[in-house]
Amino acid sequence: MQKRRRIVLLFGLGIVLPSLLLGYLAFRGIQNDRALVEKERLEDTRRAADRVTRAVDDAITLVEEALAKTFAYQIEKPSAESASALEKLAAGNPLIEQVFYLKDFKEVRLPLAKLLYVADGSREANSSSPAGLGNSAEIQAAQRLEFQQKDYPGALAGYRQALKHVNDPRLEGLVLNAIARVQRKSGLLKEAVSTYENIVRGHSAIIIPGGMPLGPSASLEICLLSRELKDFAKSLQTSLGLYKSLLGREWTLERAEFDFFVQRAKTLIEEVLAGQPPGLDLAPVRGDFQSLRAEEAEQRNKTERMIAFEQGAAPALEAKLRGGTDETNRSFSRLAFDIGSHSYFVSIVRPTTPPGGASDAAWGIIIDAEQLRENALRPALRDYFPSGETAWAIKGNDGAVLLSSENPPAGPVTLRTSFVSDTPDWNLEFHQPPPRLIRTFLLSRRGLYSFVFLLIAGILVFGLALTIRSVSHELELARMKSDFVSTVSHEFKSPLTSIRQLAEMLQSGRVPSEERRQQYYDVLLEQSERLALLTDNILSLAKIEEGRAEFAFETTDIFALLSSVVSSFQERVRHEGFDIELKAQSPIPLVAVDRTALSQAITNLIDNAIKYSGDSRKVVVGASVEEQFLAIAVRDFGVGINKEDIDRVFERFFRGGDELTRTVKGSGLGLTLVKEIVEAHRGRIQVESEPGKGSVFSIRLPLAQGKGS
Ligand code: ADP
């Protein structure tokens, strides 16, 4: 058991410990490799990110160049000619949200902007405060009749008369308006409607005193009158038409005017719809109304955004332009700024201060940030991060996500970058999952780890096999030893018992006949011989194993040696009826052998032959010369040896057959000793056997026997 502990200890020290150590080293190696892989990938990401930001930069530059090219046409300030060139430019570049002109560093103009309305009080003054109906005597008379005397039929006739002499279309519109008004006052509602329709058709754009066009108010009147006349279809149609025209920018209105008309038109529509006029299909009207409202919201947004720019961008632009030396020597300055809730990103041409000093004006563009993201940033990201392994997100300066990769960004940000310069305040964030340990292990360029792990596995398997083998061998040996002790004690005990009994009988003189006495002597002899043989075997083997055995080789007549062994056996087993035959092919040459040892070997073989004879009573001992060898064979016709045992019969303590069915006593040492002796003579021993038929043990000794060791 101590041995087993030692083996386990050895296994632990020699195999498990080094394996653990190697495993740990390999693990550390993989970790290092992983860190390296991670670093490389980060480097790759950084390079790709640089390319992405450059791609965006390039897209902006492209637009700037297009604007610069437009300037080759010498556009100096907004004009009809420049407008068409700029229109073309904007149409060809989706990144351009608006083109603007900065005059005297103070005033921003948006020549291409399509606004729903202009800021309050900003309508150009040239067409404002037009004269009223003028000072024609006819008109003045009619006005007096209308307002002072409230003589409507008279007033109507007066206006009608005046209309005939008017040849200025503006004045004509105004007179028509007065006619319609009087018609209405005098209850001629249908006539008033048709007069207003007349105005809408032909004089819609006429500006009335105060600066407003005639069209919207005339339309509004038609709606109201039609409703009064219960012509709901016309009322609805006209108010929708007005709403549409307002959104279609038919007139230039200030914000308050626009709001007023839109509000009135919408209220009218809603009121008529709420009244559910019979006989009208209202569904399409509702649909139109819905989409018009959506359009209004969108356009209002854009308009407010542009008005805010128009009114508030100049200081930021001026500061940038006057800021002097830019970090680059590009001819464009880029800047991002906010006005209220609106964010702008613009690029403006820097004045080149020509000699004339006429450079206090500049052209610029507002870049459409969403288009920039969708048409420049997203494709660039898709190109440079195609695998989908790296997730990314673009965030505004308030941290809101503006754009993100298809695979949702998760885990910590591994790289954060912003744009090269003067671009919208966007941050690009990249998320890279750490490389997997197993993947690093498998893909490691050096393949070292696979090798190390194979080595460890190999060592472990080898060690395990070795341990199992030696442990089981030790166990088997231990089992055989304990077997040996019990059988040997038996072996000693039974002959000793019979010797004692027989000796006692002989001593007491109670043996009846001489013949019986003689028998007793035979048995005594045989039993003591067996004891002697057993003792000899044990002692000799112990000597050989300890290396103390000394063989004394003497030239010997083998035939004589065999005869003596055989006859001593014949003597011993005579009473059991055994026939031991010695067959020799003469002449047998003299051979140098250790006589005692060889005799002991032959004795053991014959003893086994007798022991395992079963019912057979015949043993043949043969000697012959075969080429350079002397062959000695001991043959019996007994039980034979099982196939599975035949290779093991020479092992120490090995005893054949099943432990339970074993009847013959023995120690398992006899054949081991025979083999040792034969090998000490440089000979060989062989066995052939067939269960139930008998066995042959043959010894072959070299004839030219030198002095053995
Ligand atoms: P044992 O004391 O058991 O005879 P041995 O070493 O002499 O020990 O023999 C080992 C085993 O070989 C025996 O137990 C027996 O099974 C087998 N054996 C040896 N000689 C013979 C034989 N002549 N016939 C059959 N079996 C034999």
Side-chain angles (χ1 to χ4, degrees):
M1 288 308 99
Q2 205 186 355
K3 206 158 193 172
R4 191 194 289 190
R5 216 177 299 151
R6 224 181 63 206
I7 288 169
V8 170
L9 195 76
L10 271 179
F11 181 68
L13 280 179
I15 288 162
V16 177
L17 212 66
S19 297
L20 285 178
L21 198 74
L22 267 176
Y24 174 71
L25 288 179
F27 178 72
R28 288 300 304 269
I30 293 174
Q31 274 192 327
N32 281 348
D33 236 36
R34 178 158 75 155
L36 218 70
V37 169
E38 203 166 343
K39 210 170 135 200
E40 277 169 16
R41 285 204 332 184
L42 201 64
E43 233 8 85
D44 288 350
T45 309
R46 185 165 295 139
R47 268 195 295 274
D50 278 354
R51 277 189 213 122
V52 168
T53 54
R54 224 169 299 140
V56 172
D57 196 57
D58 288 351
I60 301 170
T61 309
L62 221 65
V63 177
E64 289 170 344
E65 277 166 6
L67 183 63
K69 232 189 224 160
T70 311
F71 278 100
Y73 300 118
Q74 302 281 307
I75 299 169
E76 274 161 6
K77 59 180 179 184
S79 67
E81 178 196 352
S82 68
S84 80
L86 291 172
E87 207 129 12
K88 222 185 272 169
L89 169 76
N93 289 284
L95 287 193
I96 298 181
E97 184 183 354
Q98 271 307 329
V99 180
F100 65 86
Y101 178 73
L102 180 66
K103 191 182 163 206
D104 299 334
F105 284 166
K106 293 279 176 267
E107 201 185 318
V108 175
R109 303 238 185 112
L110 301 162
L112 299 185
K114 297 201 172 73
L115 305 181
L116 278 185
Y117 44 78
V118 296
D120 287 326
S122 72
R123 191 162 43 207
E124 298 201 3
N126 52 10
S127 65
S128 72
S129 0
L133 279 173
N135 39 18
S136 132
E138 278 179 322
I139 293 176
Q140 279 176 355
Q143 280 180 323
R144 249 195 319 278
L145 284 175
E146 180 190 354
F147 293 111
Q148 288 165 17
Q149 301 166 14
K150 310 245 185 265
D151 172 4
Y152 298 132
L156 193 60
Y159 284 129
R160 284 225 167 97
Q161 194 58 33
L163 190 62
K164 286 182 188 153
H165 305 128
V166 178
N167 44 16
D168 170 14
R170 199 182 76 84
L171 211 55
E172 195 180 302
L174 293 181
V175 174
L176 275 175
N177 199 34
I179 291 175
R181 188 173 62 227
V182 177
Q183 281 172 332
R184 189 186 173 172
K185 284 180 186 165
S186 44
L188 303 168
L189 301 187
K190 277 193 182 143
E191 289 77 356
V193 168
S194 74
T195 312
Y196 278 125
E197 281 174 343
N198 201 357
I199 294 172
V200 169
R201 262 197 307 277
H203 306 85
S204 172
I206 301 296
I207 306 295
I208 56 173
M212 269 224 283
L214 262 181
S217 54
S219 296
L220 212 55
E221 291 298 335
I222 297 171
C223 302
L224 289 165
L225 289 170
S226 314
R227 193 169 64 167
E228 238 168 279
L229 290 167
K230 306 243 181 295
D231 185 352
F232 297 113
K234 180 178 252 176
S235 177
L236 267 182
Q237 194 192 345
T238 317
S239 36
L240 274 177
L242 173 61
Y243 196 9
K244 230 177 262 177
S245 304
L246 287 166
L247 294 183
R249 293 181 291 272
E250 198 172 317
W251 308 283
T252 304
L253 297 175
E254 291 188 352
R255 188 194 278 120
E257 296 161 357
F258 179 87
D259 284 350
F260 169 77
F261 287 118
V262 162
Q263 202 45 53
R264 290 304 305 273
K266 278 159 62 175
T267 320
L268 261 167
I269 297 170
E270 275 160 10
E271 281 171 6
V272 175
L273 284 176
Q276 303 239 358
L280 280 184
D281 182 9
L282 297 178
V285 180
R286 285 210 174 90
D288 280 359
F289 187 40
Q290 186 71 26
S291 53
L292 284 175
R293 269 195 302 209
E295 192 188 330
E296 182 200 341
E298 192 193 322
Q299 293 224 37
R300 236 177 222 285
N301 249 338
K302 282 189 185 162
T303 303
E304 286 299 332
R305 178 174 160 77
M306 284 306 123
I307 288 179
F309 187 82
E310 223 169 22
Q311 294 183 331
L317 298 173
E318 181 179 9
K320 179 77 177 180
L321 291 178
R322 286 206 200 280
T325 50
D326 206 316
E327 60 278 11
T328 59
N329 46 8
R330 281 191 300 222
S331 49
F332 281 84
S333 284
R334 293 177 191 170
L335 69 156
F337 56 91
D338 291 348
I339 301 173
S341 60
H342 304 286
S343 299
Y344 304 92
F345 171 48
V346 306
S347 179
I348 184 164
V349 182
R350 293 161 68 194
T352 45
T353 53
S359 64
D360 278 359
W363 284 95
I365 38 181
I366 304 176
I367 288 174
D368 190 325
E370 199 185 319
Q371 291 285 337
L372 186 64
R373 279 201 302 270
E374 289 299 330
N375 291 339
L377 192 50
R378 194 196 278 278
L381 280 164
R382 204 178 294 136
D383 283 356
Y384 292 115
F385 295 93
S387 69
E389 194 175 274
T390 306
W392 48 262
I394 293 160
K395 291 187 175 167
N397 55 1
D398 54 353
V401 177
L402 301 171
L403 205 67
S404 69
S405 53
E406 274 161 36
N407 45 331
V413 175
T414 45
L415 179 71
R416 187 174 277 125
T417 179
S418 51
F419 287 85
V420 189
S421 66
D422 295 334
T423 344
D425 209 354
W426 293 337
N427 286 313
L428 256 169
E429 291 181 353
F430 296 92
H431 303 254
Q432 238 169 359
R436 297 261 160 77
L437 208 62
I438 300 288
R439 251 184 81 171
T440 315
F441 166 60
L442 290 177
L443 298 181
S444 165
R445 270 150 292 169
R446 278 162 262 172
L448 179 73
Y449 306 120
S450 339
F451 174 72
V452 168
F453 276 101
L454 276 182
L455 194 73
I456 293 172
I459 292 177
L460 278 174
V461 168
F462 174 74
L464 203 67
L466 205 72
T467 312
I468 288 172
R469 221 185 92 114
S470 54
V471 166
S472 55
H473 190 242
E474 286 296 325
L475 285 177
E476 172 77 358
L477 210 65
R479 190 188 61 73
M480 289 200 295
K481 260 185 189 165
S482 80
D483 251 21
F484 166 75
V485 171
S486 71
T487 46
V488 164
S489 342
H490 247 85
E491 284 281 271
F492 274 101
K493 202 171 174 190
S494 45
L496 275 177
T497 315
S498 59
I499 288 171
R500 209 173 75 195
Q501 281 173 350
L502 291 176
E504 273 173 6
M505 282 177 72
L506 287 171
Q507 188 195 35
S508 64
R510 279 185 288 139
V511 186
S513 64
E514 183 60 26
E515 192 184 343
R516 177 64 61 89
R517 199 173 295 139
Q518 191 55 47
Q519 262 179 13
Y520 283 3
Y521 287 137
D522 283 348
V523 175
L524 276 178
L525 186 65
E526 190 205 342
Q527 295 296 353
S528 49
E529 291 266 9
R530 280 193 62 194
L531 274 183
L533 182 63
L534 188 61
T535 329
D536 281 352
N537 277 350
I538 293 173
L539 289 178
S540 305
L541 200 62
K543 260 193 199 166
I544 290 175
E545 292 209 329
E546 284 166 25
R548 288 189 289 116
E550 278 178 15
F551 293 93
F553 291 88
E554 288 164 282
T555 313
T556 308
D557 178 355
I558 297 296
F559 188 75
L561 185 142
L562 290 179
S563 303
S564 123
V565 175
V566 167
S567 55
S568 97
F569 261 104
Q570 270 163 347
E571 191 78 357
R572 246 161 66 188
V573 296
R574 193 184 35 197
H575 61 283
E576 288 173 32
F578 266 99
D579 174 17
I580 302 174
E581 192 183 335
L582 176 61
K583 274 188 184 168
Q585 175 210 59
S586 36
I588 302 287
L590 296 179
V591 182
V593 296
D594 179 314
R595 286 179 199 155
T596 328
L598 193 63
S599 301
Q600 196 175 5
I602 307 291
T603 308
N604 274 340
L605 290 181
I606 298 175
D607 188 52
N608 276 351
I610 292 168
K611 273 198 316 196
Y612 302 105
S613 263
D615 295 334
S616 146
R617 283 291 174 270
K618 189 175 166 79
V619 174
V620 180
V621 179
S624 59
V625 176
E626 290 171 9
E627 293 173 8
Q628 299 299 308
F629 297 96
L630 168 65
I632 303 167
V634 178
R635 177 189 299 268
D636 67 65
F637 304 90
V639 294
I641 306 169
N642 288 335
K643 265 213 179 87
E644 62 266 28
D645 288 347
I646 204 153
D647 289 333
R648 304 191 56 197
V649 291
F650 297 106
E651 280 177 24
R652 260 199 308 167
F653 306 123
F654 178 80
R655 304 220 52 224
D658 185 356
E659 224 157 310
L660 293 174
T661 59
R662 204 183 281 144
T663 49
V664 180
K665 298 273 180 281
S667 60
L669 287 178
L671 287 180
T672 314
L673 183 64
V674 173
K675 191 168 181 239
E676 294 284 354
I677 292 172
V678 170
E679 280 171 2
H681 285 79
R682 301 192 177 172
R684 288 264 181 82
I685 179 153
Q686 269 182 342
V687 55
E688 283 165 48
S689 179
E690 203 175 323
K693 294 208 167 153
S695 323
V696 189
F697 284 83
S698 1
I699 296 173
R700 285 152 66 87
L701 299 177
L703 281 176
Q705 188 86 39
K707 248 208 155 212
S709 54

